Amino acid sequence: MTLDDLRIFISVCRAGSLSAVARDLSCTQSAVSQHVKRLERELGVSLLERHARGVVPTSAGRVLQAAASDGIGGIDLAVRRLREQVRGEGGAVRITTGATSVRHFMAEAVVDFRDRYPRVSLEFQTVSSSRGCFDALAADDLDLAWITLGEPVRGIEQRPVVELPWVLAVRADDPLAGRAHVTPADLAAAQLITPPEGSTSRGQLDVHLGDLAVALPTVTSVADWDTAVLLAELGLGQAVVPALPGWGERAPEGLRLVPVPALPPLSVGWAVRRWDALSPLARAFADTVAEHCAPLGVGPAQGASLAARV
């Protein structure tokens, strides 16, 4: 059993496909399969179940995947920290997040961090969901993930940074544009544009509306908050979205952002494998982002400096 065997097994579990991992590694599917078979021979158990659409880990495979992800993640972090100590202030901070998060939450922090640490590179890996961020943290040599906080995830620590109140983005000529706030009944009568089904933010929105006994009308789901706002601007509906940093009291041109006070705010922040194992540079970047988020017109999450969800 080698580290390569374990790394490839973790990648197969994440991708759900031997051929996809083979393409990523520029090798044959047979070579990938040999790594998994070696683990199965040594452990004496089946680790993967084959299906028409790919593979999934067995119960034994899930145990090994979780343990191997934690162990290899710790080794990778330790090796990086040692290399950074040898190089002095040089090094890299690797972050995974959604496509628009850097612009909304990190733009000023990136500039500030580069001024403080000019020899450190910032590397961003874009994914489409918080779940994708968790998978990337577990499988890759990444430091930080910027996510919408949700249910606890095994082996991942979540730290809130800011809370985003929900708003309804409507055109300036919409009947709701002049309202001081929007009620649940207004949402039930609207043609809503929402975050995509399966996303953490959409899941929390559905739960909150369910608690308020609001049955959603036909909705349009989009990939990200920026697209939702753009479609609202084009008159294709009203977008229920978090009030993102930078908007403050000023809505994007041609729109009004009407508060929805009945919905609890959405918490966003950092996810890491182990906060106490972060390199000093990664911790410095995380703190820099938190410092710049604080005055942007969105509320600080409760206990943002110390609280962790494991």
Side-chain angles (χ1 to χ4, degrees), residues 4 11 27 38 43 45 54 126 141 144 154 183 193 213 242 260 262:
D4 281 345
S11 296
C27 66
R38 180 157 50 227
L43 296 172
V45 295
T126 300
D141 184 18
L144 298 158
R154 185 186 184 280
T183 67
I193 304 167
V260 190

Side-chain angles (χ1 to χ4, degrees), residues 97-103 126-128 224 226:
T97 189
T100 63
S101 295
V102 175
R103 178 172 69 251
T126 300
V127 295
S128 59
D224 56 69
D226 281 354

Side-chain angles (χ1 to χ4, degrees), residues 201-215:
S201 56
R202 173 62 184 274
Q204 294 186 24
L205 178 63
D206 288 345
V207 168
H208 298 327
L209 291 176
D211 291 342
L212 296 169
V214 174

Side-chain angles (χ1 to χ4, degrees), residues 24-68:
D24 289 342
L25 298 177
S26 300
C27 66
T28 65
Q29 181 172 329
S30 176
V32 172
S33 180
Q34 287 302 315
H35 286 280
V36 177
K37 288 179 179 178
R38 180 157 50 227
L39 290 173
E40 290 179 326
R41 284 196 302 270
E42 292 196 26
L43 296 172
V45 295
S46 296
L47 298 174
L48 295 176
E49 295 179 353
R50 274 75 175 177
H51 297 282
R53 295 185 177 181
V55 296
V56 296
T58 62
S59 59
R62 290 192 293 272
V63 171
L64 180 62
Q65 179 190 6

Side-chain angles (χ1 to χ4, degrees), residues 162-271:
V162 291
E163 292 185 337
L164 309 177
W166 288 93
V167 297
L168 192 68
V170 300
R171 286 167 57 106
D173 57 358
D174 189 284
L176 296 174
R179 299 276 292 274
H181 65 272
V182 170
T183 67
D186 295 323
L187 295 179
Q191 184 176 353
L192 291 184
I193 304 167
T194 71
E197 291 187 26
S199 67
T200 302
S201 56
R202 173 62 184 274
Q204 294 186 24
L205 178 63
D206 288 345
V207 168
H208 298 327
L209 291 176
D211 291 342
L212 296 169
V214 174
L216 284 180
T218 302
V219 300
T220 300
S221 296
V222 294
D224 56 69
W225 299 330
D226 281 354
T227 303
V229 170
L230 175 60
L231 293 183
E233 186 178 352
L234 295 175
L236 298 183
Q238 298 99 347
V240 56
V241 292
L244 297 175
W247 286 356
E249 297 298 323
R250 185 177 65 83
E253 186 176 355
L255 290 179
R256 300 290 184 270
L257 302 179
V258 188
V260 190
L263 297 177
L266 192 71
S267 291
V268 298
W270 291 117

Side-chain angles (χ1 to χ4, degrees), residues 95-109:
I95 306 104
T96 181
T97 189
T100 63
S101 295
V102 175
R103 178 172 69 251
H104 288 304
F105 297 99
M106 303 181 195
E108 292 184 4

